Amino acid sequence: MLQLWLPYPVVGSMAETMGNTDQNKKITLATGFNRPLFQRDQTQRFKLVVGLALLGLTFVVSLTVAVMIGPVSVPPLTVWQIILANLPWIGGAVTADWSTPHGHIVWDIRLPRVLLAGLVGAGLATVGVAIQALVRNSLADPYILGVSSGASVGATAVIVAGAFSLLGQYALALAAFGGALLSVMLVFVIAQIGGRISIVRLLLAGIAISMVLSSLTSFIVMTAPREEAIRSALFWMMGSLAGARWEYLTIPVLVIAAGLFYLLIQFRTLNALLMGDEAATTLGVDVHRFRKILIMVTALITGVLVAVSGAIGFVGLMIPHMVRLVVGADHRLVLPFSALAGAIFLIWADVFARMILAPEELPIGIVTALCGGPFFIWLLRSRQYSFGGSEQG
């Protein structure tokens, strides 16, 4: 019984549902197939606008505070003066009354890092929503297809062995992205049977490829001749935003925006997937074709994110659950709220990673794991939450 995932409860066996006109209407209403993307009653529309506005305001405040905080503190007014001064068309209207070091710290060091944290958080949360709908599993996360393991092989090859040195400063990101895509391609091929993808095979193939690639990564690290290279590789594998630059933001922005837009216009299909393949097919969804497209979209987004930030765990696993507890299960709400919540969460996680052991820096993956573990313990103990069923504790 899918009471958590769907805006309206759906009851009865699939055989009864397919043969019952009233029940078919319930399925159509539940998945939203009869409504445009943002057609809602006035109360729901008001809640949607207010919720997004509050999250948007929280994001702006979080960005400002994250840029302010550091070994050299910068006043909030100065932060926004520097940001506005560097924007086209309006920059000339801002009077430059800040020091050159402040301008360099805000614009060249902190702001790219904070924006990258927001992008990575939004992307991972969005992919987490899509992957959990794809496999109908509450424990699915963006790395379930072996993306992080493949990226780790490419990254460690660059850090430890100096591979792809001809690519210069882009060697690490491109090698990580190439390893991520290669792992996804292997999982994709293994999971197909007669041109169709089996969810069970997809999960098992992802686990198998992840184990093989993880062992290869461990071998590369263990045979490294320099201790510094080992430390750098391990730091990257636990997630880091220390190397953020403006030129690293363009591709993630484009990929995440395109992916989120596609998923939003497919919210009905995502809702239908959660009811099972038979129900989705009854509603006219080409399940196997959409599943392939969804795998490619999520793999592309995850590959790009891992390439610029390393493997940051728990964001794509935890944020979608937190959002569903607040806004329900309809993907037209879950997707945008998850993106904003993920961005805010990772910005603050990065602040803690920078400041808790200052001047040393903690891998951001440790911070997200410390937050995600207790959250899931609470979630498991909660009797008010169930994923895809009416389970009672």
Side-chain angles (χ1 to χ4, degrees), residues 7-162:
Y8 306 93
V10 177
V11 296
S13 68
M14 188 53 60
E16 294 171 343
T17 298
M18 295 175 67
N20 188 315
T21 303
D22 293 335
Q23 200 65 24
N24 281 335
K25 291 180 180 178
K26 288 184 179 180
I27 292 179
T28 304
L29 288 172
T31 56
F33 265 75
N34 65 325
R35 290 173 291 177
L37 179 58
F38 291 110
Q39 179 182 329
R40 312 181 67 82
D41 61 43
Q42 292 296 326
T43 302
Q44 290 175 316
R45 187 179 293 113
F46 177 76
K47 290 180 179 179
L48 171 64
V49 172
V50 171
L52 290 177
L54 288 175
L55 277 179
L57 179 62
T58 305
F59 172 79
V60 172
V61 172
S62 300
L63 182 147
T64 305
V65 175
V67 175
M68 291 169 50
I69 296 177
V72 177
S73 61
V74 182
L77 181 60
T78 303
V79 168
W80 281 104
Q81 285 179 327
I82 295 172
I83 293 174
L84 294 175
N86 284 276
L87 296 180
W89 299 300
I90 64 174
V94 179
T95 303
D97 59 354
W98 55 86
S99 65
T100 301
H102 276 178
H104 174 68
I105 289 170
V106 170
W107 186 256
D108 296 324
I109 299 176
R110 292 185 189 169
L111 186 59
R113 176 167 181 154
V114 173
L115 290 176
L116 183 61
L119 285 171
V120 173
L124 289 176
T126 300
V127 173
V129 172
I131 287 289
Q132 289 170 7
L134 172 68
V135 301
R136 299 196 301 277
N137 190 308
S138 60
L139 297 180
D141 75 345
Y143 305 129
I144 199 170
L145 302 181
V147 174
S148 62
S149 300
S152 296
V153 172
T156 52
V158 171
I159 296 172
V160 174

Side-chain angles (χ1 to χ4, degrees), residues 24 91 109 111 122 154 164 185 208 286 304 351 390 393:
N24 281 335
I109 299 176
L111 186 59
F164 310 110
M185 289 173 61
D286 188 341
V304 168
V351 169
S390 57

Side-chain angles (χ1 to χ4, degrees), residues 81-366:
Q81 285 179 327
I82 295 172
I83 293 174
L84 294 175
N86 284 276
L87 296 180
W89 299 300
I90 64 174
V94 179
T95 303
D97 59 354
W98 55 86
S99 65
T100 301
H102 276 178
H104 174 68
I105 289 170
V106 170
W107 186 256
D108 296 324
I109 299 176
R110 292 185 189 169
L111 186 59
R113 176 167 181 154
V114 173
L115 290 176
L116 183 61
L119 285 171
V120 173
L124 289 176
T126 300
V127 173
V129 172
I131 287 289
Q132 289 170 7
L134 172 68
V135 301
R136 299 196 301 277
N137 190 308
S138 60
L139 297 180
D141 75 345
Y143 305 129
I144 199 170
L145 302 181
V147 174
S148 62
S149 300
S152 296
V153 172
T156 52
V158 171
I159 296 172
V160 174
F164 310 110
S165 56
L166 293 176
L167 299 175
Q169 63 179 346
Y170 300 105
L172 179 61
L174 291 176
F177 181 69
L181 286 189
L182 179 60
S183 67
V184 170
M185 289 173 61
L186 289 173
V187 171
F188 193 82
V189 171
I190 295 172
Q192 288 194 84
I193 306 175
R196 296 187 172 188
I197 294 179
S198 164
I199 290 298
V200 175
R201 279 180 173 261
L202 183 70
L203 296 174
L204 294 177
I207 293 172
I209 295 299
S210 293
M211 294 177 66
V212 172
L213 295 178
S214 294
S215 64
L216 181 58
T217 300
S218 299
F219 175 78
I220 295 174
V221 173
M222 292 302 296
T223 56
R226 296 178 294 116
E227 182 178 346
E228 181 182 352
I230 297 176
R231 178 181 173 84
S232 298
L234 292 175
F235 195 90
W236 184 91
M237 286 189 290
M238 288 185 287
S240 174
L241 302 170
R245 300 177 181 177
W246 282 109
E247 53 265 33
Y248 290 172
L249 300 181
T250 304
I251 294 179
V253 166
L254 295 176
V255 171
I256 293 171
L260 181 58
F261 177 76
Y262 174 78
L263 293 173
L264 272 173
I265 63 177
Q266 296 292 333
F267 82 92
R268 303 175 185 85
T269 309
L270 291 170
N271 285 349
L273 279 183
L274 297 171
M275 301 178 65
D277 292 356
E278 293 182 11
T281 302
T282 301
L283 292 168
V285 177
D286 188 341
V287 174
H288 299 289
R289 178 176 176 274
F290 180 71
R291 189 170 284 155
K292 291 179 181 179
I293 295 174
L294 196 57
I295 290 172
M296 290 187 288
V297 170
T298 54
L300 176 63
I301 297 174
T302 309
V304 168
L305 297 179
V306 172
V308 296
S309 66
I312 301 174
F314 276 97
V315 180
L317 188 62
M318 176 175 60
I319 297 299
H321 288 293
M322 296 176 65
V323 170
R324 291 190 195 100
L325 288 171
V326 177
V327 304
D330 192 348
H331 281 89
R332 84 186 86 190
L333 293 178
V334 175
L335 284 166
F337 277 84
S338 293
L340 280 171
I344 295 167
F345 170 76
L346 205 62
I347 286 174
W348 283 106
D350 185 53
V351 169
F352 280 103
R354 285 191 286 126
M355 300 304 298
I356 195 169
L357 294 179
E360 295 294 325
E361 184 173 317
L362 197 66
I364 193 171
I366 294 178

